[in-house]
């Protein structure tokens, strides 16, 4: 696959992406100063400064043509250096590294270019060896997913796939599946609810409401999930409010929150403690 040089009026634009400073990051050339802002690009020894679309067209053209030039290094008389033109200045700072599309290129919708993030772009590269990712040809197919995977997948759908709003299904496709369920000890649940005394063991707040029997409503959660080898015991179980329960399953800081639970609740033991 080859990238296409952007032309004014195009719906999609190929963005060069450099590898990040750490393993799981990327540094794409995005218009952080706006489309009309000035961006440094080109040869290290002879940089240019243009508005974003002009700069990116220059980088695209230079990359396709493998444009390079030989310069004297530090004005030395006998030492030359061959430099590629397909480069851009990281963060546009004068002394910042001059980057190249070492991770690859991604084709995204022009309307989304101001809203996407480095992390969003990296997520498209992290599980593939592809150097060119063309989102103009992607379609989001209906998938049979559990709730957690459904939420994670939905969060990565490109903005262009949501305009116009999706029609959905009046009658969703039905499919029978086999699931694994675990027998749980009701005495463990009762003990943990009693220990909580009507307060969430994560955030410390009172239960948000009472259940139909008039008891504080809290949900019993396994810190190490049963599906991951967790135990159905009081040293792996807590009583928490629905909000904290969802955060422990889907939250960005779920791992940090779990570590804090081990420090805060003395009865909890992680896997390492039981080996």
């Amino acid at each position: 696959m080859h990238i296409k040089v952007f032309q004014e009026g195009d719906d999609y634009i190929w963005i060069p992406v450099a590898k990040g400073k750490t393993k799981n990051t990327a540094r794409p050339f995005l218009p952080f100063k706006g489309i009309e802002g000035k961006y440094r690009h080109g040869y290290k020894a002879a940089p240019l400064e243009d508005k974003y679309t002009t700069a990116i067209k220059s980088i695209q053209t230079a990359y396709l043509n493998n444009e390079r030039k030989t310069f004297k290094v530090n004005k030395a008389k006998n030492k030359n250096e061959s430099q590629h033109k397909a480069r851009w200045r990281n963060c546009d700072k004068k002394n910042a590294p001059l980057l190249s599309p070492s991770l690859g290129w991604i084709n995204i919708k022009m309307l989304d270019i101001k809203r996407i993030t480095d992390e969003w772009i990296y997520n498209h590269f992290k599980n593939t060896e592809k150097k060119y990712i063309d989102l103009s040809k992607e379609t989001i197919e209906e998938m049979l997913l559990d709730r957690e995977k459904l939420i994670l997948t939905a969060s990565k759908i490109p903005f262009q796939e949501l305009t116009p709003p999706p029609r959905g299904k009046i009658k969703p496709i039905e499919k029978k599946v086999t699931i694994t369920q675990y027998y749980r000890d009701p005495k463990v649940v009762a003990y943990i609810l009693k220990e909580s005394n009507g307060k969430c063991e994560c955030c410390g707040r009172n239960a948000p409401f009472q259940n139909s029997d008039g008891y504080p409503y809290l949900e019993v959660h396994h810190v190490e999930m049963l599906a991951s080898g967790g135990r159905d015991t009081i040293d792996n179980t807590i009583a928490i409010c629905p909000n904290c329960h969802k955060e422990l399953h889907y939250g960005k800081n779920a791992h940090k929150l779990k570590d804090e639970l081990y420090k805060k609740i003395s009865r909890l033991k992680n896997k390492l403690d039981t080996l």
Side-chain angles (χ1 to χ4, degrees), residues 178-193:
T178 301
I179 61 173
T180 300
Q181 293 184 324
Y182 297 89
Y183 289 97
R184 296 177 57 181
D185 189 341
K187 289 184 178 180
V188 170
V189 174
Y191 180 89
I192 296 302
L193 291 173

Side-chain angles (χ1 to χ4, degrees), residues 3 35 46 68 87 90 97 128 136 143 157 169 200 203 215 228 241 243:
I3 66 171
I35 299 297
R68 63 178 69 209
R87 301 287 189 273
N90 183 38
T128 180
S136 69
M143 289 175 282
I157 294 177
K169 294 285 185 181
C200 173
C203 68
Y215 293 103
S228 300
C241 67
N243 193 52

Side-chain angles (χ1 to χ4, degrees), residues 10-247:
D10 284 353
D11 291 331
Y12 285 81
I13 184 169
W14 281 98
I15 305 297
V17 185
K19 293 179 180 177
K21 292 181 180 180
T22 58
K23 182 178 179 182
N24 297 322
T25 56
R27 292 182 286 181
F29 180 34
L30 293 173
F32 57 91
K33 295 196 300 182
I35 299 297
E36 298 301 321
K38 298 290 185 178
Y39 297 86
R40 295 185 180 91
H41 63 97
Y43 300 114
K44 181 178 180 181
L48 303 172
E49 193 172 38
D50 292 300
K51 75 173 188 176
Y52 180 75
T53 52
T54 302
I56 208 164
K57 284 192 289 185
S58 176
I59 295 169
Q60 291 167 341
T61 302
Y63 177 81
L64 289 172
N65 296 334
N66 194 26
E67 291 181 14
R68 63 178 69 209
K69 190 174 181 180
T70 300
F71 293 90
K72 294 286 185 181
V73 178
N74 296 326
K75 299 181 180 180
K77 293 182 179 180
N78 299 318
K79 189 175 181 181
N80 297 328
E81 184 179 279
S82 180
Q83 299 177 8
H84 284 86
K85 189 178 181 182
R87 301 287 189 273
W88 69 95
R89 186 71 73 183
N90 183 38
C91 300
D92 205 43
K93 295 180 181 178
K94 186 175 181 180
N95 297 319
L98 204 61
L99 304 178
S100 66
S102 54
L103 194 58
W105 293 79
I106 186 167
N107 194 23
I108 61 176
K109 197 167 188 178
M110 191 64 185
L111 291 176
D112 293 335
I113 199 170
K114 296 179 182 179
R115 298 188 288 178
I116 60 177
T117 63
D118 296 0
E119 182 181 11
W120 183 87
I121 286 182
Y122 174 73
N123 284 335
H124 286 80
F125 282 95
K126 67 179 181 181
N127 294 321
T128 180
E129 294 182 357
K130 293 180 179 179
K131 297 286 288 185
Y132 305 94
I133 296 178
D134 188 358
L135 297 184
S136 69
K137 298 179 181 178
E138 277 196 4
T139 56
I140 305 301
E141 299 179 356
E142 295 177 8
M143 289 175 282
L144 183 65
L145 301 171
D146 61 34
R147 185 178 298 273
E148 182 174 0
K149 290 182 180 178
L150 179 63
I151 292 173
L152 290 174
T153 301
S155 68
K156 297 175 184 177
I157 294 177
F159 294 111
Q160 63 264 26
E161 298 292 340
L162 304 178
T163 305
R167 297 177 60 186
K169 294 285 185 181
I170 301 297
K171 188 176 180 180
I173 298 171
E174 183 177 330
K175 184 175 181 179
K176 293 183 179 180
V177 297
T178 301
I179 61 173
T180 300
Q181 293 184 324
Y182 297 89
Y183 289 97
R184 296 177 57 181
D185 189 341
K187 289 184 178 180
V188 170
V189 174
Y191 180 89
I192 296 302
L193 291 173
K194 178 177 177 295
E195 284 288 293
S196 71
N197 196 28
K199 292 183 180 293
C200 173
E201 293 187 289
C202 184
C203 68
R205 297 187 179 93
N206 291 328
F209 57 89
Q210 293 183 335
N211 64 19
S212 58
D213 293 324
Y215 293 103
Y217 180 84
L218 293 171
E219 298 174 351
V220 177
H221 169 74
H222 293 91
V223 182
E224 294 291 341
M225 294 188 295
L226 299 180
S228 300
R231 308 174 304 282
D232 186 30
T233 56
I234 64 171
D235 58 11
N236 184 45
T237 315
I238 56 176
I240 52 178
C241 67
N243 193 52
C244 287
H245 200 177
K246 293 298 183 186
E247 185 172 9

